[in-house]
Amino acid sequence: MKQYIALLRGINVGGRHKVPMAELKDLLQKMGFQNIKTLLNSGNVVFETAPIAIHKLEASIAQALGKKFGFKVPTLIRDAEAIQTMLVENPFQDMVVTKDIRLYITFLQHPNKEPLFETPFISEDGSFRILKITASEIYGVLDVSKGKSTDAMNILAKTYGKQITTRNWNTLEKIKKLLD
């Protein structure tokens, strides 16, 4: 068995696209996944299954979610090793975090062959910086005293499309605890 993390995009935000975590967990159990743990209400799920290609997992879970809930739920998958590597390589380790600073990681569903931003990238208003871009993730810092998180997410969505999802770095650290 291998551990995977499903990151669902755009659920339970502003009362739209409701996906109760108990129903999500039940659906994944019916799909044959084991040791399912959910985190927060924003669609973070740790589970185990036999090793399988990530794109197949993404497609099967997204299809099942769409059928059950009646709307598309973009689903991005990472394996436990990938999450653990991100946390070890932590590009934020030298950042001074204050009440206004948010650390984000944006997950790309499709590999990024060429970064569409040069790093470091800084938004026009100075509120959003991209520190690092890999083939499958973007590491960004938001200063909420200068702008809104929606502005940063809009920059990323306009550039990379809607097959992305973003998590706070703290959420990734909580996911790791579920993996341990």
Side-chain angles (χ1 to χ4, degrees):
M1 299 297 275
K2 184 171 179 169
Q3 279 188 311
Y4 294 94
I5 300 86
L7 304 163
L8 310 182
R9 182 181 197 273
I11 65 163
N12 301 329
V13 178
R16 296 179 28 186
H17 296 126
K18 291 186 180 187
V19 176
M21 293 299 101
E23 290 182 40
L24 172 61
K25 189 174 180 179
D26 183 58
L27 174 65
L28 295 176
Q29 285 174 329
K30 288 177 181 172
M31 293 178 71
F33 303 131
Q34 299 175 9
N35 299 319
I36 302 162
K37 301 171 198 163
T38 61
L39 175 68
L40 304 173
N41 203 30
S42 55
N44 306 291
V45 186
V46 173
F47 62 94
E48 291 180 6
T49 190
I52 185 172
I54 285 177
H55 71 277
K56 289 182 180 182
L57 272 176
E58 289 172 337
S60 66
I61 292 172
Q63 181 180 20
L65 288 167
K67 186 175 180 181
K68 174 151 181 74
F69 295 104
F71 51 85
K72 289 183 180 182
V73 179
T75 304
L76 289 83
I77 304 283
R78 296 296 187 270
D79 62 27
E81 295 82 16
I83 296 294
Q84 290 164 337
T85 298
M86 289 174 215
L87 288 160
V88 167
E89 294 178 355
N90 183 0
F92 303 118
Q93 52 197 341
D94 295 330
M95 290 290 308
V96 175
V97 179
T98 67
K99 67 178 181 64
D100 293 326
I101 300 297
R102 308 287 188 274
L103 309 177
Y104 290 112
I105 181 168
T106 298
F107 296 89
L108 308 175
Q109 187 165 40
H110 305 291
N112 182 27
K113 294 181 177 124
E114 285 186 37
L116 301 177
F117 292 104
E118 288 187 29
T119 54
F121 165 85
I122 301 174
S123 64
E124 286 183 28
D125 65 2
S127 67
F128 181 56
R129 292 180 286 153
I130 295 175
L131 299 181
K132 179 179 177 182
I133 300 174
T134 69
S136 53
E137 290 86 31
I138 300 168
Y139 298 82
V141 178
L142 179 70
D143 183 340
V144 296
S145 70
K146 297 179 181 178
K148 299 178 289 198
S149 63
T150 53
D151 295 339
M153 299 312 113
N154 288 337
I155 289 170
L156 293 171
K158 282 181 186 176
T159 306
Y160 290 95
K162 298 216 181 237
Q163 298 302 333
I164 63 173
T165 192
T166 299
R167 297 296 187 272
N168 188 296
W169 189 253
N170 294 333
T171 300
L172 211 62
E173 290 172 335
K174 290 175 185 176
I175 288 171
K176 184 187 183 312
K177 289 178 183 176
L178 293 179
L179 297 172
D180 293 338

